[in-house]
C-alpha cells in the first residue's frame, strides 16, 4: 500500500494539473491511498477554470480535508506515515509560507511536516515571469529538500492537445512519486519525419 498527500492551491491557471493527477493516480497505482487538501482559493479557481466543484474531486480520493482543519487531520502530524506529498499547483504564496515556516493552514503544515520527516515534497509551481522573491524562495525550498517542478510542458513529444500538455506534467509528477505510467511520450531520439 502506497500513501500520498496531495495539496491543491490557487496557483491560478493550473488547477487542471491537480485534478488530472487525482483522476489518473489510481489508474496507474490502484493500491495508492490519496489524502487531499484544497485551499479555498483553489476551490474558487476550479469553479472558474474547469467548471467543477469540490464534490468532483472528493469522489476521486480516499480522504479530503479542509485547509483550516489543522487539529483534526492526521496529515498535520509527522506520526502519519506517507510516501510523499505533492502540491499541484503550488502558488507563490504557499511556496513562500512553506519556506519561511509559516504553517497556518493544513497545506503548509503538512508540507512542513513532510520536510521535517525528510519525506518527498514536490512543489509544482505555475508563475511567469519570476521575481527575485520567487527565485529565492525556490532556492530555499530546494535547499530544504523539496523538488521544485515548474509546470512547463515540453514540446519534444509533439503535443497535439491541451490534454497532452497537462498529461506531460502529471506524468512527470507520477515519475517523481515512483508511479509507473504512460501518460506522455518519452524522449526516444530525434524523429526523421521533418518536412
Ligand atoms: C487572476 C489571478 C491569477 C493568479 N495567477 C497565479 C499564478 O499563476 N501563480 C501563482 O502562484 N499565483 C497566482 N495567483 C495568486 C494566488 O491565487 C494567490 O496568491 C492566493 O492567495 C493563493 O492562495 P493559496 O496558496 O492559499 O491557494 C493569481 C491570482 C489571481 C486573482
Amino acid at each position: 500500500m502506497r500513501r500520498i498527500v496531495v495539496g491543491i492551491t490557487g496557483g491560478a491557471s493550473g488547477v487542471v494539473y491537480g485534478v488530472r493527477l487525482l483522476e489518473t493516480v489510481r489508474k496507474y497505482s490502484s493500491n495508492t491511498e490519496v489524502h487531499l487538501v484544497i485551499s479555498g482559493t483553489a476551490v474558487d479557481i476550479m469553479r472558474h477554470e474547469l467548471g467543477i466543484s469540490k464534490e468532483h474531486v472528493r469522489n476521486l480520493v480516499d480522504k479530503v480535508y479542509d485547509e483550516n482543519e489543522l487539529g483534526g487531520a492526521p496529515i498535520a502530524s509527522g506520526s502519519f506515515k506517507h510516501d510523499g506529498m505533492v502540491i499541484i499547483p503550488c502558488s507563490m504564496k504557499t511556496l513562500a509560507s512553506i519556506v519561511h515556516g509559516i504553517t497556518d493552514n493544513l497545506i503548509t503544515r503538512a508540507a512542513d511536516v513532510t520536510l521535517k520527516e525528510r519525506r518527498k515534497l514536490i512543489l509544482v509551481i505555475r508563475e511567469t515571469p519570476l521575481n527575485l522573491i520567487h527565485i529565492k524562495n525556490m532556492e530555499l525550498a530546494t535547499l530544504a529538500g523539496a523538488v521544485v517542478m515548474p509546470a512547463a510542458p515540453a514540446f519534444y513529444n509533439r503535443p497535439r492537445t491541451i490534454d497532452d500538455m497537462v498529461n506531460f506534467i502529471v506524468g512527470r509528477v507520477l515519475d517523481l512519486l515512483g508511479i509507473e505510467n504512460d501518460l506522455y511520450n518519452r524522449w526516444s531520439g530525434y524523429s526523421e519525419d521533418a518536412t
Side-chain angles (χ1 to χ4, degrees), residues 17-137:
Y17 294 113
V19 174
R20 181 63 46 82
L21 178 77
L22 301 177
E23 287 168 347
T24 52
V25 69
R26 288 255 189 69
K27 174 181 169 198
Y28 293 106
S29 179
S30 55
N31 65 343
T32 295
E33 189 180 284
V34 182
H35 292 248
L36 171 70
V37 51
I38 313 179
S39 76
T41 317
V43 172
D44 292 341
I45 292 173
M46 259 181 355
R47 201 175 301 117
H48 173 73
E49 287 184 1
L50 303 176
I52 60 172
S53 70
K54 200 171 172 179
E55 292 313 307
H56 175 89
V57 289
R58 189 185 295 276
N59 297 326
L60 300 171
V61 300
D62 295 279
K63 198 88 181 79
V64 61
Y65 311 97
D66 189 87
E67 69 174 329
N68 300 313
E69 203 178 331
L70 264 172
I75 61 171
S77 167
S79 60
F80 179 85
K81 289 188 174 173
H82 63 77
D83 301 290
M85 175 173 183
V86 51
I87 306 183
I88 175 170
C90 178
S91 73
M92 288 297 122
K93 179 207 129 186
T94 291
L95 168 73
S97 298
I98 293 167
V99 300
H100 295 289
I102 302 167
T103 57
D104 58 352
N105 68 33
L106 185 56
I107 298 178
T108 52
R109 170 62 187 167
D112 190 79
V113 163
T114 299
L115 288 176
K116 86 181 172 72
E117 301 295 332
R118 305 297 192 270
R119 297 185 184 125
K120 183 169 280 181
L121 177 65
I122 302 161
L123 306 175
V124 182
I125 55 126
R126 204 238 65 93
E127 187 56 280
T128 193
L130 300 167
N131 64 34
L132 185 62
I133 297 165
H134 302 147
I135 292 167
K136 286 287 180 192
N137 285 344

